[in-house]
Amino acid sequence: MVARHVPQAVAELPRQVRDELEHRLRRKGRPFAKEDVQVVEEPMLKRAVTASALGNCMEWFDFGVYSYLAATIGKVFYPGASDAAQLLASFATFAAAFVVRPLGGLFFGPLGDKLGRQKVLAATMILMAFGTFLIGFIPSYATIGIAAPILLLVARMLQGFSTGGEYGGATTFIAEFSPDRRRGFLGSWLDFGTFVGYALGSALVTVLNMALTDSQMLTWGWRVPFLIAGPLGLIGLYMRLKLEESPAFQQQLDEHEQAVAEREAERHEFRTILRRHREPLLVCIGLVLLYNVTNYMVTGYLPTYQTEVLGRAATTSDALVLIGMVWVVVLITFIGRLSDHVGRRPVYRWAAIGQIVLAVPAFTLIRSDGWVLPGLGVLILATLLAGFAAPSAATLPALFPTSVRYAAMGIGFNFSVAAFGGTTPLATEGLVGLTHNDLVPGGYLIVSGLIGLLVVRFMPETAGVPLHGSQPMVSTEQEADELISTSRDLRKLQAQRETEPVSRR
């Protein structure tokens, strides 16, 4: 074999980035030119990240409120049942929203691939805000009887339907706006919004519980957080209406293939995704399972676990989980940036291993007396959660091409959340009641960690790699010039290999 000089810029490329660039150059038959590289304007990028994160913030504001008010909502809407039955009924109503999430993904996903990400994200924001606002006006069971829990169920299902198009669309939108080298960091801001929203919702309920009597909370106090969602939704809608469409979608609109993609979306996009993108869809489902079982265990079940199973005071329980959420907010963007440098797979792998090893010890600490040991247990779970959350918004959209990305994300993400994430509080509560073992939640997390560790073996490394169907994305003109220069070096190496005699290869 003839020795070749490999330029330093080429040698420093991560393997997955070099492979993808070589594939694109081979297909083009020439180095990149200016028109082949997309430079993302920083002000537009900041608006896209902020508006997407705000939608998630609002969704999880509601989620934090509902999680912290689960016991109160059970008393308001199911007063004739026992305490345990009230709690199960409240969690069942909570889980019902997740049943319709896949339907929302199937409805909004193809629309997002056909009409554009920005329009659909504005629509999901309206529906989500309306559903949350509506809960604040539903009369209690004592006022209108069985109609009260029915209306609560309808409002929750409306929220679930809109949310089915929210996360998949928001991750797609941010991923398609983000420069390739910074996608992990910028994508992590979406889940930063998630946990800020949860922290704000849970903090508000904690303050209300401290300021109001039990009677006041049951009469009117529980409504306050839901009514606040209306103004928040209007702010989010305004910001999303000001957004431009993502560069990847705009690029597709300019190409002939968009006509084919539209016909595909209209007729049988779901069948196409299952047939042509089965493997990345399964990876998506597995990664979402890993992330969301931990997510809903900590955010959905842990407040109730501490009060109803361990008998801890509500204010202490709420404060401990709130501290955990603040810790996730602190960590998440740092881990997102780390995933840009070391790769998504190592971050997922070590977080999954950590969960397998530390889940039961964490719950052992949580059931201890006092503040310090339970707080340490919550911080362990919060750290693991940050490890799963930070790379997700960058990893999941990169599994699919632009033409089906929104729909595929809607299917994979929402199916997994509905089947495994949203049912976690209900399933765990049932298992604890059945076994009378308060370490069951730790075992539940171990199982999800083992599944996640297996899935990570099959996921492609996408850190720094341009999205399928998108141009390479960079932050500055200087980075564009550097990429074009690197593409020339890579093309020269390709040409040398192509012209080299077979006997000398």
Side-chain angles (χ1 to χ4, degrees):
M1 176 184 265
V2 175
R4 305 185 191 92
H5 171 68
V6 178
Q8 183 178 356
V10 173
E12 291 176 351
L13 288 174
R15 168 54 59 184
Q16 72 273 9
V17 177
R18 179 171 175 173
D19 289 346
E20 176 64 20
L21 293 181
E22 285 186 338
H23 172 72
R24 295 188 179 212
L25 293 172
R26 194 174 296 112
R27 193 171 56 194
K28 284 181 176 294
R30 61 170 178 79
F32 293 143
K34 281 282 189 183
E35 63 270 16
D36 298 318
V37 181
Q38 176 78 41
V39 180
V40 184
E41 297 179 11
E42 192 68 20
M44 189 185 303
L45 176 60
K46 288 181 179 177
R47 285 201 304 272
V49 171
T50 302
S52 300
L54 186 61
N56 256 30
C57 181
M58 185 196 146
E59 174 193 346
W60 279 78
F61 174 86
D62 161 65
F63 179 79
V65 166
Y66 196 99
S67 297
Y68 273 51
L69 288 174
T72 302
I73 287 173
K75 291 180 174 65
V76 171
F77 289 95
Y78 309 98
S82 65
D83 289 347
Q86 287 176 352
L87 195 57
L88 284 172
S90 183
F91 277 140
T93 305
F94 173 79
F98 293 86
V99 174
V100 298
R101 280 184 69 154
L103 298 179
L106 288 172
F107 178 79
F108 289 112
L111 284 179
D113 288 328
K114 177 186 174 184
L115 302 178
R117 287 64 162 120
Q118 183 264 351
K119 296 182 180 68
V120 174
L121 283 173
T124 60
M125 175 65 77
I126 295 172
L127 286 177
M128 190 164 37
F130 178 72
T132 305
F133 196 54
L134 182 63
I135 292 176
F137 288 99
I138 299 175
S140 67
Y141 186 94
T143 304
I144 60 173
I146 191 64
I150 292 174
L151 287 174
L152 177 64
L153 181 64
V154 170
R156 287 292 298 163
M157 293 180 77
L158 178 61
Q159 288 175 318
F161 186 76
S162 63
T163 304
E166 172 63 30
Y167 189 83
T171 53
T172 294
F173 197 71
I174 286 185
E176 291 180 348
F177 257 105
S178 299
D180 300 329
R181 296 180 186 176
R182 301 170 60 203
R183 189 170 297 120
F185 171 66
L186 293 168
S188 67
W189 285 96
L190 183 65
D191 286 281
F192 176 92
T194 292
F195 294 105
V196 166
Y198 182 94
L200 290 174
S202 56
L204 178 58
V205 174
T206 300
V207 170
L208 288 172
N209 278 327
M210 295 172 64
L212 303 178
T213 65
D214 290 344
S215 176
Q216 289 173 323
M217 282 297 295
L218 287 171
T219 304
W220 59 269
W222 68 271
R223 299 180 185 276
V224 173
F226 293 106
L227 297 177
I228 290 175
L232 287 178
L234 291 176
I235 295 171
L237 177 62
Y238 173 79
M239 293 188 66
R240 287 193 172 178
L241 289 175
K242 292 291 185 180
L243 291 174
E244 296 183 22
E245 193 50 80
S246 74
F249 188 80
Q250 288 178 333
Q251 176 190 343
Q252 184 173 259
L253 286 175
D254 295 335
E255 299 173 355
H256 171 71
E257 288 81 11
Q258 174 59 13
V260 178
E262 285 186 6
R263 290 196 295 271
E264 198 84 6
E266 290 171 359
R267 292 201 303 264
H268 49 260
E269 186 170 15
F270 177 68
R271 188 169 61 192
T272 300
I273 291 169
L274 292 181
R275 186 175 67 250
R276 297 183 186 175
H277 307 284
R278 186 182 301 111
E279 289 186 11
L281 189 64
L282 290 173
V283 169
C284 176
I285 290 171
L287 292 176
V288 173
L289 182 156
L290 176 64
Y291 169 19
N292 279 278
V293 167
T294 308
N295 189 12
Y296 290 100
M297 183 69 76
V298 176
T299 58
Y301 182 63
L302 198 54
T304 303
Y305 171 79
Q306 294 186 79
T307 56
E308 303 300 317
V309 178
L310 303 182
R312 187 164 286 150
T315 52
T316 303
S317 168
D318 293 349
L320 287 172
V321 178
L322 181 57
I323 289 169
M325 292 303 98
V326 172
W327 181 238
V328 173
V329 170
V330 170
L331 284 182
I332 195 165
T333 57
F334 291 99
I335 298 177
R337 191 189 298 273
L338 178 67
S339 77
D340 284 327
H341 293 287
V342 304
R344 322 288 189 228
R345 294 183 67 191
V347 172
Y348 274 118
R349 183 185 300 115
W350 285 108
I353 292 172
Q355 178 149 297
I356 294 166
V357 174
L358 297 173
V360 170
F363 273 93
T364 302
L365 290 169
I366 289 170
R367 67 179 186 174
S368 302
D369 294 331
W371 279 80
V372 177
L373 293 181
L376 179 59
V378 171
L379 289 177
I380 290 172
L381 294 180
T383 302
L384 296 173
L385 176 55
F388 301 136
S392 289
T395 303
L396 301 177
L399 297 171
F400 307 103
T402 302
S403 60
V404 298
R405 184 172 293 128
Y406 200 146
M409 278 288 297
I411 294 168
F413 184 88
N414 290 298
F415 171 81
S416 189
V417 170
F420 308 112
T423 57
T424 293
L426 181 63
T428 310
E429 174 69 16
L431 287 171
V432 170
L434 184 65
T435 63
H436 303 288
N437 184 345
D438 53 17
L439 289 180
V440 162
Y444 204 92
L445 290 181
I446 289 174
V447 173
S448 71
L450 290 169
I451 294 171
L453 195 59
L454 177 64
V455 171
V456 170
R457 290 188 59 189
F458 296 96
M459 68 171 278
E461 180 55 75
T462 58
V465 178
L467 296 174
H468 297 306
S470 301
Q471 292 178 322
M473 306 275 285
V474 296
S475 300
T476 63
E477 292 289 347
Q478 180 181 348
E479 286 186 16
D481 292 339
E482 290 172 356
L483 181 59
I484 291 169
S485 175
T486 301
S487 74
R488 295 194 189 103
D489 293 333
L490 271 173
R491 188 57 193 152
K492 288 177 183 177
L493 290 173
Q494 285 181 329
Q496 290 175 15
R497 287 197 298 266
E498 290 165 2
T499 58
E500 188 179 293
V502 175
S503 61
R504 304 181 77 183
R505 292 183 185 176

